[in-house]
Amino acid sequence: MKCDKFIEALGTRVKILEVTRQYEDQVTALVELNDLPEAVRFLYYDMGGYLSTMIPNDERSINKHYALYYALSMEGGKMFAGDEIAQDEKCFVTVKVLISPDSLVFPSVTPLVPACVWYEREAYDMFGLVAEGLPDKRRLVLSDDWPDNLFPLRKDAMDYRYRPDMKDHYMEPEYEFLRPEGSGIIDVPLGPLHITADEPGHFRLYCDGDTIVDADYRLFYQHRGMEKLAENRMNYDQMGYLAERVCGICGYAHAIACIEAAEKAINLEIPARAQAIRVICSEIERLHSHLLNIGLACEVTGNYNAFMHIFRIREYSMKLAELVTGGRKTYGNVVMGGLRRDMTGHEIKESLRILHIIETQVEEVWDAVMDDQRQMKRWKGVGILDKQVARDFSPVGPNIRGSGIKRDTRYDHPYDFFKQIQFDVAVVEGGDVFAREMVRYMELKSSVSIIRQCFELMPQTAIIVDPKFHVKPENYALAYVEAPRGENVHWIMQGSAQKVFRWRCRAATYNNWPSLRFQFRGNTIADAALIVCSLDPCYSCTERITVVDIKSKKSKILTNKDLKDFSKTLKNSPMKDLR
Amino acid sequence: MMKLLDISKKYGEITHKYPFEPYKVADNFRGKPAYIYDLCIGCAACGIACPSNAITVVFNDDKSKLVWEFDCGRCIFCGRCDEVCPTGAIKLSEEFELAVKFDKSALIQRGELDVQCCTECKKPFSAKRLVKYSFECLSKANVSEKRLEEAKNYLCICPTCKKTATVATFTSGKEMVIE
Ligand code: SF4
Ligand code: SF4
């Protein structure tokens, strides 16, 4: 069976207490707490694994312990040609440990595998599990005014209907940025709201003259607590729609990943036609996401002409989505067991027409952009992600493929209809902004061909089956989908009835952020926004704003509380002193 | 650079003069749900299916009306309500311009239905239209006159009283006649 080889090899290194199989390509090995760093390091570097996700879980009601699951995608190191394992051996191996609720301490894996850093910081935020030896112990996801000693994802942490009292709304919360040593280094803040970055995220650039020496950042300005929401009050029927709202761009990929995780946890196979349509919709999503990012990468460098052209073409991809699903962005199409909407002959014919338009026009505009020397000067050699850094931090999507590593979930772990589809993984050497945009351009082409193949191969079966729930709270499974920005991994543990016990949703950008710091180094301030943009980041809304009225020459900070009070009562506008 | 300008020339002006020139949506577009009061029977299927709880079907305070309420601010335009409604009283329309001024009530749509009171306990338990609809369904289903008359009375009894009656039949020791 798949995965056995890895479990056997792992057994020679550390003592394995228990092995359980979740799905044909997923297996979990329980190891001793002290063996954790070595087990993960061995699978990561020696066996060629990438860290897909890490799931902390409160299992006190099941086995009186907290648990950690390090899920590794085994696909070979891929640093040089031939460093890849055979297609039929690729799988997911999860290393599991149990942590006693009295000590709450586990040995940190980060010193050995840097990719774990964010996951282990988050484990403290959400569950209060302390990673011993973790170099960076700052808060990651919770806001700075969140009360200490309140760990929201513990099952007994709080009554979810109420909000906790924040430490102090009126004070500016403190956050310690990591600052490099040295004289003459100045801080340049970028964000939380900055004109070149379209969403809030706070970057501190440490500059010597015009050159960025190092950088640090604070994100998660609007962590929405969706995992908690799903655990508490959602059933599987509603969860797909919630997952679709994780992200404004790769929403559909999240919806599929979430629903497929639940389907795998109950061992449900969906009809082939539904699989094909899921692939079609997610490829349409890729078309519009990649066009968006290529357009923005032109816009950030001031090439508005190209930006407008690319967005003109992007409109066709939105039209295509509207035609196929009835919504331009939220497709609302996936449910447990299959899909809600089929495709008819008319829709297929019309889709093929639009695809042809997209294909030809993209080619035309891309040729013109490549011809533009000034554009190339801004893209080439900027924001380089070194191959070794990419190996250490497990980034995903065009980010890692732009660094010459052939990592694509559709190819490594073919899900849904991808087993029957031929396509080339787009890989470009170089690791700079240009390489990443090139990967996106190549994927635009492969997406068009994938959709066409789906139309051809789509069988005439039903699009939905009735799910039969075999409820067992210990059942869990991973589902993985290659979203436009990279692999999205969802993990679901069943709860009682039709509810989840724990839902862990790991979006693509989560794996991409930690290595961004290395991409900044050595570039100029002017390129900072471009580098962030080429990562195709996905961040959420803000918590406070400053309003400056240039007429009356007054300014005022509107706090979280002001805004909330006003939205509840619609009285005492916080802006009234300004007028 | 010049190539890009050439492309612009080729395609000319493509901007729509929105809002002066209306935007044409695709067939089957999922816009704001449109509610047809006259068709609604108050069965609450839509309220149960709605993933974001945008639709609620509850009695008002004094239980004199069954209130169907839709809050557009919560709606995610998934179309589940459209799918489950037995009478086609709710359909996703092509409307997508939903902005309102600072007035929450503009987002809310409601319909009040007459309630059906239980013939035994006199308490309201359902909408009149739902009872009527169920009866109509039965009469179309080739049921004998006598049975139909029985059903008419039976439909007007609330679930609680039905349960009580069943328990009473069982405990009274009388023989049950099952046809
Ligand atoms: S469209 Fe969806 S969210 Fe909106 S009312 Fe209908 S079921 Fe609810
Ligand atoms: S008839 Fe349709 S709209 Fe009315 S309550 Fe039932 S499902 Fe909802």
Side-chain angles (χ1 to χ4, degrees):
Chain A
M1 283 282 263
K2 267 186 182 179
C3 330
D4 288 349
K5 176 183 146 190
F6 300 107
I7 295 293
E8 227 168 77
L10 184 64
T12 61
R13 282 299 178 112
V14 297
K15 190 161 159 259
I16 299 177
L17 305 176
E18 191 192 0
V19 178
T20 46
R21 184 174 283 273
Q22 285 77 47
Y23 204 68
E24 58 189 49
D25 62 345
Q26 296 170 22
V27 68
T28 302
L30 179 69
V31 301
E32 302 250 14
L33 198 54
N34 290 331
D35 288 340
L36 172 69
E38 174 55 21
V40 177
R41 190 207 61 79
F42 174 71
L43 288 173
Y44 194 98
Y45 284 114
D46 295 357
M47 302 303 290
Y50 283 85
L51 188 72
S52 268
T53 179
M54 190 271 257
I55 308 110
N57 195 10
D58 179 359
E59 293 181 1
R60 281 175 298 170
S61 56
I62 299 175
N63 54 23
K64 304 200 172 55
H65 283 82
Y66 289 95
L68 294 181
Y69 300 81
Y70 287 75
L72 291 126
S73 152
M74 310 306 299
E75 50 198 66
K78 300 182 170 179
M79 289 289 284
F80 40 86
D83 181 16
E84 193 175 336
I85 58 178
Q87 197 68 28
D88 56 353
E89 278 178 359
K90 290 178 179 169
C91 61
F92 284 89
V93 177
T94 305
V95 178
K96 175 184 179 182
V97 285
L98 293 175
I99 301 171
S100 116
D102 305 325
S103 72
L104 296 174
V105 174
F106 66 98
S108 169
V109 186
T110 310
L112 299 179
V113 182
C116 300
V117 58
W118 273 33
Y119 294 100
E120 290 182 351
R121 281 169 73 181
E122 189 177 340
Y124 178 75
D125 278 13
M126 292 303 193
F127 290 90
L129 300 174
V130 184
E132 194 132 29
L134 181 67
D136 185 353
K137 287 211 160 111
R138 293 168 303 160
R139 222 169 226 181
L140 181 71
V141 291
L142 296 176
S143 65
D144 296 316
D145 49 2
W146 186 266
D148 296 330
N149 298 323
L150 179 63
F151 302 109
L153 275 181
R154 284 189 186 172
K155 293 282 174 206
D156 54 0
M158 57 197 263
D159 187 336
Y160 67 86
R161 284 168 298 177
Y162 303 109
R163 287 171 186 221
D165 282 332
M166 293 299 172
K167 270 202 251 161
D168 191 342
H169 276 311
Y170 300 95
M171 298 255 293
E172 185 73 26
E174 288 284 320
Y175 185 76
E176 224 180 278
F177 285 97
L178 299 178
R179 205 175 186 288
E181 300 284 318
S183 61
I185 292 179
I186 48 158
D187 294 22
V188 178
L190 181 72
L193 287 177
H194 190 269
I195 199 144
T196 54
D198 40 356
E199 285 172 79
H202 187 125
F203 302 88
R204 275 294 160 93
L205 310 176
Y206 299 106
C207 302
D208 183 1
D210 209 15
T211 315
I212 304 170
V213 180
D214 203 351
D216 194 15
Y217 25 92
R218 172 79 171 119
L219 299 156
F220 296 92
Y221 275 84
Q222 192 76 302
H223 188 267
R224 286 170 289 177
M226 281 188 172
E227 289 168 353
K228 181 85 181 165
L229 177 67
E231 274 169 40
N232 278 309
R233 41 198 261 189
M234 297 253 155
N235 55 27
Y236 290 133
D237 241 5
Q238 298 172 308
M239 265 185 68
Y241 300 104
L242 180 70
E244 195 163 73
R245 276 148 187 87
V246 168
C247 172
I249 304 284
C250 15
Y252 194 70
H254 279 286
I256 314 182
C258 171
I259 293 295
E260 281 184 4
E263 283 166 353
K264 281 179 180 165
I266 62 168
N267 243 320
L268 179 78
E269 179 83 17
I270 62 162
R273 192 176 177 85
Q275 293 185 4
I277 297 179
R278 281 185 185 184
V279 167
I280 292 170
C281 293
S282 62
E283 291 306 315
I284 291 176
E285 195 172 67
R286 191 180 322 278
L287 285 178
H288 89 69
S289 175
H290 281 354
L291 285 168
L292 172 98
N293 188 261
I294 298 175
L296 288 181
C298 293
E299 191 219 4
V300 173
T301 56
N303 192 349
Y304 290 94
N305 203 342
F307 161 69
M308 288 295 183
H309 278 302
I310 291 167
F311 268 52
R312 171 174 56 83
I313 304 169
R314 181 169 180 260
E315 182 60 28
Y316 287 111
S317 66
M318 311 279 276
K319 274 266 181 222
L320 187 57
E322 191 183 314
L323 175 81
V324 172
T325 64
R328 280 164 66 87
K329 185 63 247 343
T330 43
Y331 303 164
N333 207 353
V334 242
V335 279
M336 283 286 277
L339 284 182
R340 289 175 52 208
R341 223 183 120 177
D342 203 351
M343 290 180 85
T344 60
H346 158 71
E347 279 166 353
I348 294 177
K349 228 170 96 200
E350 184 65 16
S351 306
L352 287 171
R353 190 183 70 82
I354 298 181
L355 279 177
H356 180 73
I357 296 178
I358 295 178
E359 198 180 25
T360 46
Q361 299 199 0
V362 162
E363 186 117 18
E364 196 174 49
V365 175
W366 183 259
D367 271 353
V369 172
M370 296 287 283
D371 241 27
D372 192 342
Q373 283 309 313
R374 296 174 309 164
Q375 183 68 66
M376 288 303 114
K377 283 223 165 92
R378 286 299 305 272
W379 279 2
K380 281 192 176 156
V382 171
I384 293 182
L385 177 64
D386 185 69
K387 210 169 181 178
Q388 185 60 44
V389 175
R391 175 72 185 102
D392 290 342
F393 281 89
S394 291
V396 289
N399 234 22
I400 195 163
R401 292 197 282 280
S403 293
I405 294 184
K406 193 178 172 188
R407 230 197 127 196
D408 188 321
T409 311
R410 294 174 292 171
Y411 157 79
D412 290 318
H413 308 284
Y415 52 92
D416 284 348
F417 214 57
F418 280 114
K419 290 180 199 96
Q420 303 178 35
I421 282 177
Q422 304 283 328
F423 77 102
D424 291 328
V425 180
V427 193
V428 179
E429 298 282 341
D432 51 4
V433 174
F434 171 72
R436 290 192 278 278
E437 299 309 332
M438 191 69 198
V439 168
R440 294 201 173 96
Y441 167 68
M442 287 157 75
E443 281 182 12
L444 284 177
K445 285 190 171 176
S446 70
S447 282
V448 172
S449 109
I450 289 171
I451 299 177
R452 289 210 182 109
Q453 289 182 45
C454 281
F455 283 145
E456 267 165 35
L457 300 174
M458 202 156 67
Q460 290 288 348
T461 60
I463 53 163
I464 191 159
V465 287
D466 205 5
K468 299 221 168 19
F469 287 88
H470 309 288
V471 176
K472 222 164 120 204
E474 300 89 62
N475 280 4
Y476 52 85
L478 272 176
Y480 35 85
V481 166
E482 182 79 18
R485 289 159 173 169
E487 161 205 61
N488 284 343
V489 181
H490 285 231
W491 187 91
I492 279 182
M493 183 180 250
Q494 280 189 14
S496 54
Q498 288 213 14
K499 286 188 144 191
V500 288
F501 184 81
R502 169 94 165 96
W503 172 41
R504 170 77 163 120
C505 147
R506 201 274 288 153
T509 316
Y510 193 93
N511 266 23
N512 285 339
W513 282 124
S515 54
L516 176 62
R517 174 165 200 194
F518 300 90
Q519 277 162 266
F520 273 137
R521 288 182 186 166
N523 290 286
T524 59
I525 303 176
D527 287 330
L530 176 62
I531 296 170
V532 176
C533 169
S534 74
L535 184 93
D536 205 356
C538 187
Y539 33 5
S540 216
C541 302
T542 186
E543 54 185 357
R544 71 187 59 232
I545 51 172
T546 308
V547 181
V548 181
D549 188 349
I550 42 172
K551 269 191 211 145
S552 61
K553 303 224 164 26
K554 282 188 209 156
S555 79
K556 189 178 182 194
I557 292 180
L558 309 187
T559 62
N560 192 349
K561 185 167 183 309
D562 288 339
L563 290 172
K564 264 191 210 153
D565 286 352
F566 181 65
S567 63
K568 271 186 205 146
T569 60
L570 299 185
K571 278 182 204 143
N572 304 327
S573 160
M575 306 266 281
K576 68 175 186 297
D577 326 341
L578 284 177
R579 292 201 202 106
Chain B
M1 171 75 185
M2 290 322 279
K3 266 195 181 173
L4 277 172
L5 289 177
D6 283 347
I7 298 174
S8 310
K9 257 201 238 149
K10 181 170 163 194
Y11 291 101
E13 188 177 329
I14 58 139
T15 320
H16 289 275
K17 296 274 180 299
Y18 182 83
F20 304 107
E21 176 191 310
Y23 178 80
K24 178 132 181 17
V25 296
D27 308 341
N28 282 323
F29 179 74
R30 303 198 320 265
K32 181 185 177 182
Y35 175 57
I36 307 164
Y37 172 77
D38 291 343
L39 290 180
C40 179
I41 52 171
C43 65
C46 52
I48 294 166
C50 178
S52 62
N53 300 342
I55 299 179
T56 47
V57 185
V58 284
F59 286 113
N60 62 358
D61 288 342
D62 59 356
K63 289 208 166 191
S64 58
K65 292 277 181 202
L66 186 67
V67 184
W68 181 97
E69 195 173 281
F70 165 64
D71 182 347
C72 191
R74 306 193 63 142
C75 180
I76 57 171
F77 312 103
C78 62
R80 292 284 275 180
C81 48
D82 180 339
E83 235 169 47
V84 296
C85 181
T87 59
I90 188 158
K91 278 251 168 315
L92 293 199
S93 65
E94 297 196 340
E95 201 182 324
F96 60 89
E97 292 149 320
L98 306 170
V100 292
K101 281 198 180 161
F102 263 115
D103 180 7
K104 266 191 199 161
S105 59
L107 291 169
I108 291 175
Q109 201 178 355
R110 34 161 80 214
E112 294 183 345
L113 305 170
D114 288 339
V115 290
Q116 173 75 45
C117 292
C118 171
T119 42
E120 303 282 318
C121 66
K122 308 283 180 274
K123 281 189 197 137
F125 71 96
S126 171
K128 270 209 172 109
R129 286 185 190 173
L130 179 56
V131 174
K132 194 161 152 252
Y133 179 80
S134 317
F135 184 72
E136 274 166 13
C137 285
L138 275 178
S139 40
K140 278 187 201 130
N142 235 344
V143 182
S144 71
E145 283 291 314
K146 182 170 152 267
R147 298 286 289 157
L148 217 51
E149 200 53 38
E150 276 172 25
K152 200 171 196 174
N153 297 329
Y154 194 66
L155 283 173
C156 297
I157 303 172
C158 75
T160 326
C161 291
K162 272 179 203 156
K163 269 185 221 147
T164 325
T166 318
V167 173
T169 331
F170 266 108
T171 47
S172 64
K174 263 191 264 169
E175 208 174 304
M176 293 260 294
V177 187
I178 300 165
E179 284 178 34

